[in-house]
Amino acid sequence: MDFFVLPDTPGATAVFGELARTQDGAGRTPFPNALPHGSGRPWIVGDWAGETVVEAVAGNDRVALFGPASVTAEQLRETVGRARSVRDLDGLCARLSGSFHLVASIAGEVRVQGTVSAARRVFHTRCAGVTVAATAPTPLVGDLGDADLDEELLACRLLAPWPPWPFSERPLWRGVETVPVGCFLELDRSGRGRHVRWWRPPEPHLPLEEGAAGVREALREAVAVRARGAATLSADLSGGMDSTSLCFLAAGAVDRLVTTRWEAVNPTDEDQVWAGLAAEHLPDARHLVLPRETAPSWFADLTQPDPDVEGPFAWIRTRSRLTHMARQVAAAGSADHLTGHGGDELFMSSPLDLHTLARTRHVGAIRHLRAHRAMYRWRLVPTVRGLLENGSFGSWLVSSADTLTDPVREVGGPPSFSWGIGYRLPPWATPDAVAAVRRLLRRTGAAGPEPLAPRRGRHATLQDVRLCGDTLRRVDRLTSRSGVRWHAPFVDDRVVEAALAVRIEDTTMPDRYKPALTTAMRGVLPDAVRGRATKAEYSAEAYDSLRRRRAELLELCGADMRLARLGLVDAARVRSVLEAPPPSSLALTPLISTFACETWLRSVEAARSVAAGGPL
């Protein structure tokens, strides 16, 4: 689903014609769906077939929601009738459950917004003197053959395990901007665009029991919104707390539930035990176990281009698996799939929260510090030194430029309470790539950027939630091509808010596993299932898949490697790692970002060939 949003101005009509020309030139039917402003000018144009849409009109004013939302057309019409400007819709956005784009045209002005988690995003550019918005960046660049890629930012995408915010959200296509966190894009009567803040993260003020009740209701409503009108829902049942919670909530909200689980490489994998236990308590559901023999492994088909050329795909290692799963659940009768991704980002305890507690709870933070030191065997002096450090986000970005090529930190080292983890470029990055990323970090940091939240732990949580939401947005685009919409209730705005509102001191003791979620699921999950306090790890899957796909990956990183052509990586060094993988799975992490960037460059090349009339 991609669409454009145009301001209610005479100049926008000419822009509409140009957009139609470039979309048609790209081999697509221009704008199979369209909604007009009250003036009759084009307002929202694109393709949203299969998407849930609620729209309402009151006189010349109108609002449309794209995606699952807890509102009826009549309720929306009443809200539009009371609104005098697009800013009067803040209250509506603050109370609706679900995940949706909101687009409004009121009194000649336009509001376009996505979600806090980036599961729905808004991009924009200037065209013929007016601002045009879209749900993806690539439609805004016009002819792909003339589009200008930001190679400095592409080098930054090689960072492992992922580039830090704000680089993770900057479009790789020059001339395209994105709407910041907690803001909407306002298009005025002259067609100019501005970012307007409407949302800030809540303060963590609720005690555990009260906060968990809010989490439970937010999750229940998030699942219920997806279940409305659906005879069948499918859902991950990996065995983890997050996916299991959604399965039990869905079982009470839909007539027919289909669960899915991958057969593990490791025969002692704990997930399959916990998934089996949960399945026993869901006897009316159909449980699909996807066998290894018939499913693609990680890293399958990476030499094949993808029609989604927005940017490198963070989950490139499982791209073929996601398509395979979508086809399986579609064959089982499901058009909507629930995934538990996002739960770790919201509910896992982070040592960074100790940095916050040391400043907000003072002496009260000592108990938490002792518990962390005992569990992780931190030495006192480096721990205290880290807690006392209080540099700005910008200064941290600048200093990070100096450690890009340092060895990867292994588990068990001294604690870090910085604004982010130790981001590293792979050893096969060229000196030019290293220099480019250092320039970018230093330039951005020197400009004094504001973090996502004033406190480090909260900033890290929001960054991780947005990274997850943005990736799941791309997954949904991928699986929708197989007829299955991918839903991630954990990254819905209301769920994120509910999780952030729980007091930090109640959620950061290392001996309690996801306390806000486990408390929220009391009475929803059987106690035997709710008692899991471990997570699986997938190094066996990684090594097995690299072995099985070695020939294909060596071809991907061969003499014609696109990243090497750009002077960003040394292809021979990548191949040496593939031929003799290192013993530490942490050292494999940079391969994923490299594969993602290389596959993306090949996909852009293929898309340009199609746009020019060449073969796919």
Side-chain angles (χ1 to χ4, degrees):
M1 179 201 76
D2 288 321
F3 58 79
F4 296 95
V5 181
L6 300 163
D8 192 5
T9 65
T13 303
V15 172
F16 169 75
E18 178 62 17
L19 291 174
R21 183 193 68 78
T22 58
Q23 297 303 293
D24 188 46
R28 296 181 289 267
T29 301
F31 315 138
N33 304 108
L35 295 174
H37 285 286
S39 64
R41 299 184 183 111
W43 174 36
I44 310 173
V45 293
D47 184 359
W48 50 85
E51 181 65 281
T52 301
V53 182
V54 182
E55 54 182 302
V57 176
N60 283 329
D61 299 332
R62 52 208 62 210
V63 175
L65 302 182
F66 297 84
S70 59
V71 68
T72 65
E74 182 56 38
Q75 292 168 336
L76 194 58
R77 189 175 301 111
E78 292 175 1
T79 301
V80 178
R82 293 192 299 268
R84 295 295 173 262
S85 79
V86 293
R87 303 191 186 195
D88 292 339
L89 299 177
D90 287 4
L92 174 73
C93 298
R95 69 175 182 268
L96 292 185
S97 297
S99 177
F100 51 85
H101 281 100
L102 178 143
V103 188
S105 176
I106 297 175
E109 296 183 334
V110 173
R111 173 173 180 158
V112 195
Q113 78 180 57
T115 60
V116 168
S117 69
R120 304 264 175 170
R121 291 183 67 185
V122 177
F123 304 86
H124 60 92
T125 192
R126 293 284 289 177
C127 184
V130 300
T131 299
V132 181
T135 53
T138 42
L140 294 172
V141 302
D143 295 321
L144 277 177
D146 298 327
D148 189 11
L149 300 180
D150 189 332
E151 292 182 11
E152 186 178 63
L153 196 54
L154 176 60
C156 191
R157 294 293 182 96
L158 290 171
L159 283 169
W162 50 73
W165 183 89
F167 311 109
S168 56
E169 299 192 13
R170 290 181 180 173
L172 287 169
W173 304 92
R174 296 186 191 275
V176 180
E177 297 182 52
T178 187
V179 176
V181 185
C183 295
F184 64 81
L185 176 67
E186 183 180 77
L187 307 178
D188 65 18
R189 294 176 182 84
S190 68
R192 289 190 299 268
R194 68 172 67 87
H195 300 148
V196 180
R197 179 165 293 280
W198 76 275
W199 182 91
R200 293 187 185 277
E203 288 297 317
H205 64 289
L206 296 177
L208 182 60
E209 290 291 339
E210 184 179 352
V215 169
R216 179 172 55 253
E217 290 311 306
L219 274 175
R220 194 187 301 277
E221 184 59 24
V223 172
V225 165
R226 273 77 175 193
R228 285 177 194 147
T232 300
L233 273 181
S234 56
D236 296 338
L237 185 55
S238 66
M241 268 289 297
D242 311 318
S243 65
T244 304
S245 298
L246 296 183
C247 285
F248 278 83
L249 289 169
V254 72
D255 292 338
R256 183 170 178 266
L257 175 66
V258 177
T259 74
T260 60
R261 175 174 66 84
W262 296 102
E263 182 184 16
V265 170
N266 183 358
T268 64
D269 178 66
E270 279 190 84
D271 274 357
Q272 60 189 352
V273 176
W274 288 94
L277 179 61
E280 291 175 5
H281 289 84
L282 293 168
D284 296 330
R286 179 184 177 188
H287 301 290
L288 297 179
V289 178
L290 305 178
R292 292 182 58 235
E293 290 76 13
T294 56
S297 69
W298 286 11
F299 308 117
D301 305 319
L302 296 197
T303 57
Q304 301 302 311
D306 193 313
D308 178 9
V309 293
E310 175 176 319
F313 182 39
W315 290 359
I316 191 66
R317 71 186 189 281
T318 57
R319 184 181 66 179
S320 289
R321 286 193 127 195
L322 290 163
T323 298
H324 177 77
M325 179 186 281
R327 290 170 178 163
Q328 300 306 303
V329 298
S334 174
D336 295 276
H337 185 84
L338 305 179
T339 179
H341 288 287
D344 286 349
E345 289 77 359
L346 279 180
F347 298 111
M348 288 285 281
S349 174
S350 167
L352 280 179
D353 287 323
L354 289 176
H355 193 273
T356 298
L357 289 177
R359 284 152 181 77
T360 57
R361 297 286 294 171
H362 307 298
V363 175
I366 293 177
R367 181 172 68 96
H368 293 75
L369 177 57
R370 285 174 174 164
H372 277 81
R373 286 192 62 223
M375 178 164 285
Y376 300 116
R377 299 182 180 181
W378 293 342
R379 291 188 297 134
L380 180 60
V381 171
T383 300
V384 172
R385 185 185 300 122
L387 288 174
L388 291 176
E389 193 279 319
N390 204 34
S392 69
F393 176 65
S395 66
W396 171 76
L397 285 177
V398 172
S399 65
S400 294
D402 299 328
T403 59
L404 292 177
T405 58
D406 287 0
V408 175
R409 285 170 53 95
E410 293 288 345
V411 176
S416 173
F417 301 105
S418 297
W419 285 96
I421 58 180
Y423 299 96
R424 299 290 186 265
L425 281 169
W428 48 84
T430 63
D432 285 347
V434 175
V437 178
R438 282 180 172 154
R439 285 196 304 271
L440 188 59
L441 287 170
R442 289 167 178 160
R443 185 172 67 243
T444 304
E450 290 296 321
L452 292 168
R455 301 293 187 185
R456 298 181 182 190
R458 189 51 43 96
H459 166 85
T461 297
L462 285 171
Q463 173 186 253
D464 292 349
V465 165
R466 287 185 64 81
L467 282 165
C468 182
D470 190 56
T471 302
L472 291 165
R473 176 178 63 88
R474 302 282 300 280
V475 172
D476 176 57
R477 191 179 295 161
L478 173 71
T479 60
S480 290
R481 297 202 293 267
S482 298
V484 178
R485 293 175 290 271
W486 216 256
H487 301 278
F490 281 107
V491 296
D492 284 6
D493 286 3
R494 301 292 83 77
V495 178
V496 171
E497 287 174 344
L500 294 179
V502 183
R503 291 189 312 200
I504 295 174
E505 57 265 37
D506 290 342
T507 61
T508 55
M509 288 299 282
D511 60 337
R512 295 198 63 186
Y513 183 72
K514 297 185 180 180
L517 182 60
T518 56
T519 305
M521 290 297 103
R522 188 187 299 135
V524 176
L525 296 182
D527 287 343
V529 176
R530 197 171 62 90
R532 184 177 186 183
T534 59
K535 276 190 67 63
E537 65 90 30
Y538 300 100
S539 58
E541 187 82 53
Y543 283 104
D544 179 73
S545 297
L546 285 173
R547 178 185 56 79
R548 294 172 65 184
R549 297 291 173 179
R550 182 173 296 154
E552 180 182 346
L553 296 174
L554 287 171
E555 178 187 348
L556 184 77
C557 304
D560 198 30
M561 191 177 185
R562 275 56 166 183
L563 285 167
R565 275 194 215 165
L566 293 175
L568 298 178
V569 306
D570 180 337
R573 295 193 68 180
V574 182
R575 293 195 297 274
S576 69
V577 173
L578 292 173
E579 289 166 345
S584 170
S585 60
L586 279 176
L588 297 177
T589 304
L591 283 173
I592 297 172
S593 55
T594 299
F595 293 158
C597 291
E598 177 66 18
T599 302
W600 176 68
L601 285 172
R602 290 172 179 242
S603 297
V604 170
E605 187 178 277
R608 283 174 165 166
S609 175
V610 171
L616 180 64

